[in-house]
Amino acid sequence: MSYSLFTLKNGIRVLHNPAGNTDIVHACVVINSGSRDEPDDKTGLAHFIEHLLFKGTLKRNTFQVLNRLEAVGGDLNAYTTKEQTCIHASFLGAHLDRALDLLSDVLFRSTFPEGELAKEKGVILDELDSYRDTPEEQINDDFEEIIFRHHPLGNNILGTPESIPEFTREDIFRFRQDNYSTHEMVIGISSGAPHAKIRQLCEKHFGLIPENAAKRKRLPVNGYHPQEKTEKKPIFQAHFMLGGRSYPLDHEKKTAMLLMNNLLGGPSMSARLNLTVREKHGICYTIESGYSPMSDTGLFSIYFGTDKEKADKCLKLIHRELKKLREQPLGTTQLYQARERFKGQIALAEEARLSVIIYMSKSVLDYGRIDSLQEIFEKIDRVSAADIMDVANEALEPRNLSLLGFIPQ
């Protein structure tokens, strides 16, 4: 992985990942600030700001912002997570100067006009309603609220119907000043352009941005108490989430946890939960597990949707598979196949260059480094059958698992 990394005078780091002969460029700015950094009474503010970045700057109105890349066939978008905000763009290499100018403009010179605030509040309230109309989306948010109860990590990233209307321009500028530290930003560029050109354009568009060395202090995670809860909803299918807290980003058992999760309910059709619940018993269309490590904690979860009458059988089959992982070590062939499947999926994901440059930029924020594909594979190959049993007994202990169900009325 032959990337280059340098730091501007204001603390912003720039990552250049050479892209060979392709003329397509992917660029992003990842900021180490998300919904967990919001004040208690400002839930949804980080996501609100992300929306408003495109609503006008000191030199462009909303249309000019949106049309700047679209006029040349490019794309501009953004998203917010619990801990980070990302703005990203894809475009032809001939427009690299134009794209970096736009990214710098929306990130540092947005004006947040009062009229746009009012309109965007309505848009986000509609977005919130759309998620409420989608039970497989809502159950994820409600489940995180259970796992991180009374902590910002449990708040809905979109906010609430009560918090969104109360946001002000002053709230926005205060949040940005407190959380948008230039030392906690990484610009990532996947491009075949010479490194000297990348450096020159980043200095031009980002080098004169004033340094912001704000020192944010995140609220530590609190205690966790497993819960079981079911709610009746006007839906046709039952939806369930099962899981609990898990390892943070820098934990020594993270790789074993990633491999165990992939084996149990990863994207392949041969994942254990899919084989047992869907293929063998045919009682569920979607079943999957997920592991999301964060800076100081993590979340493991299993989701499935099925007919109301089949929910209990689904849960019994899931717990049977969890018990196997806790009590039955993988054989040599099973472990080899689990490793190779996971490594193959990671390698194939390298083809999605936008996702890769965002992943690399986040890795710089999280660890200050980027592991090569070979280093990642070596970590996976070091995971033993005993390691998988170890994390299974910690992460899948029944007494530590919470359960949330949406049941048809």
Side-chain angles (χ1 to χ4, degrees):
M1 189 179 294
S2 57
Y3 65 89
S4 300
L5 184 65
F6 62 93
T7 304
L8 302 175
K9 289 181 180 179
N10 52 23
I12 298 175
R13 285 166 286 181
V14 180
L15 167 69
H16 175 212
N17 189 35
N21 296 323
T22 179
D23 197 34
I24 305 299
V25 176
H26 301 285
C28 66
V29 182
V30 183
I31 307 156
N32 194 16
S33 175
S35 63
R36 76 172 297 178
D37 303 310
E38 298 159 347
D40 289 341
D41 59 343
K42 304 297 179 185
T43 304
L45 183 58
H47 173 258
F48 187 59
I49 293 172
E50 171 229 306
H51 271 235
L52 285 164
L53 290 175
F54 306 127
K55 300 303 178 180
T57 70
L58 290 174
K59 63 179 181 179
R60 294 183 175 98
N61 61 30
T62 303
F63 174 77
Q64 290 169 332
V65 168
L66 298 177
N67 195 51
R68 185 65 177 157
L69 281 185
E70 288 186 359
V72 292
D75 177 69
L76 176 68
N77 215 327
Y79 65 85
T80 305
T81 69
K82 300 283 184 177
E83 296 192 317
Q84 293 173 341
T85 300
C86 176
I87 307 169
H88 55 87
S90 300
F91 46 90
L92 288 172
H95 306 301
L96 178 60
D97 186 35
R98 171 189 292 240
L100 293 181
D101 171 52
L102 181 62
L103 286 174
S104 176
D105 198 30
V106 298
L107 185 56
F108 295 105
R109 288 178 287 276
S110 288
T111 53
F112 310 105
E114 288 285 0
E116 295 294 341
L117 262 71
K119 286 193 291 186
E120 210 58 29
K121 287 174 183 178
V123 170
I124 295 176
L125 287 170
D126 284 343
E127 184 180 1
L128 191 58
D129 287 341
S130 75
Y131 275 86
R132 287 171 160 177
D133 282 339
T134 312
E136 57 266 40
E137 298 282 357
Q138 185 182 355
I139 198 169
N140 272 282
D141 292 330
D142 290 3
F143 187 69
E144 290 182 4
E145 185 177 346
I146 288 175
I147 301 301
F148 299 108
R149 190 174 176 84
H150 303 309
H151 189 278
L153 284 172
N155 294 337
N156 190 322
I157 291 173
L158 299 182
T160 69
E162 295 75 31
S163 65
I164 294 168
E166 300 301 318
F167 296 150
T168 66
R169 291 182 80 238
E170 290 72 23
D171 293 333
I172 292 171
F173 287 115
R174 186 179 304 112
F175 183 85
R176 284 163 53 85
Q177 180 61 36
D178 292 345
N179 292 278
Y180 279 35
S181 166
T182 50
H183 296 268
E184 295 289 334
M185 294 181 186
V186 174
I187 302 167
I189 302 172
S190 176
S191 169
H195 179 68
K197 181 178 181 180
I198 299 294
R199 181 183 284 269
Q200 180 261 321
L201 289 177
C202 286
E203 290 281 4
K204 172 184 175 182
H205 294 298
F206 293 91
L208 297 179
I209 299 299
E211 179 184 20
N212 179 3
K215 298 292 185 182
R216 178 195 55 237
K217 186 176 182 181
R218 282 178 170 159
L219 185 69
V221 287
N222 51 3
Y224 166 60
H225 303 286
Q227 298 181 54
E228 291 194 7
K229 182 180 178 183
T230 57
E231 300 177 16
K232 290 186 177 181
K233 301 275 187 181
I235 53 180
F236 294 99
Q237 189 183 43
H239 300 264
F240 278 85
M241 295 284 293
L242 175 73
R245 292 195 187 176
S246 191
Y247 310 111
L249 281 164
D250 60 354
H251 200 282
E252 60 181 6
K253 297 181 182 180
K254 187 189 76 170
T255 303
M257 183 67 193
L258 287 166
L259 181 57
M260 188 275 290
N261 172 69
N262 190 264
L263 170 68
L264 177 66
S268 70
M269 296 296 286
S270 57
R272 287 189 173 189
L273 290 177
N274 193 70
L275 282 178
T276 299
V277 180
R278 174 174 169 158
E279 300 300 328
K280 183 177 180 180
H281 292 272
I283 58 174
C284 149
Y285 176 69
T286 301
I287 184 165
E288 58 194 10
S289 66
Y291 165 49
S292 303
M294 291 170 270
S295 59
D296 56 354
T297 186
L299 172 67
F300 169 76
S301 63
I302 296 169
Y303 163 80
F304 70 89
T306 188
D307 291 338
K308 179 180 178 181
E309 295 75 19
K310 299 173 183 175
D312 286 343
K313 185 174 182 180
C314 256
L315 284 168
K316 287 179 182 177
L317 292 171
I318 290 169
H319 279 292
R320 187 185 302 171
E321 290 301 321
L322 301 187
K323 186 176 182 182
K324 284 182 186 177
L325 280 171
R326 294 195 305 270
E327 297 179 358
Q328 298 177 18
L330 298 183
T332 303
T333 301
Q334 289 177 314
L335 180 60
Y336 174 79
Q337 291 175 339
R339 288 169 173 165
E340 292 303 302
R341 182 188 305 121
F342 192 30
K343 290 192 292 184
Q345 291 169 1
I346 293 171
L348 288 175
E350 292 279 306
E351 295 295 310
R353 287 177 43 234
L354 174 59
S355 298
V356 169
I357 194 63
I358 292 174
Y359 159 77
M360 293 174 71
S361 301
K362 292 170 70 173
S363 185
V364 171
L365 275 181
D366 293 334
Y367 308 109
R369 69 177 194 280
I370 303 167
D371 287 339
S372 68
L373 205 57
Q374 184 59 39
E375 289 171 323
I376 293 170
F377 287 177
E378 288 172 357
K379 287 182 180 180
I380 294 171
D381 284 336
R382 287 196 292 269
V383 176
S384 67
D387 292 333
I388 291 178
M389 280 188 70
D390 180 38
V391 297
N393 275 282
E394 289 187 354
L396 309 181
E397 163 57 47
R399 291 173 298 180
N400 293 332
L401 299 180
S402 293
L403 177 70
L404 175 61
F406 288 174
I407 307 294
Q409 290 176 340

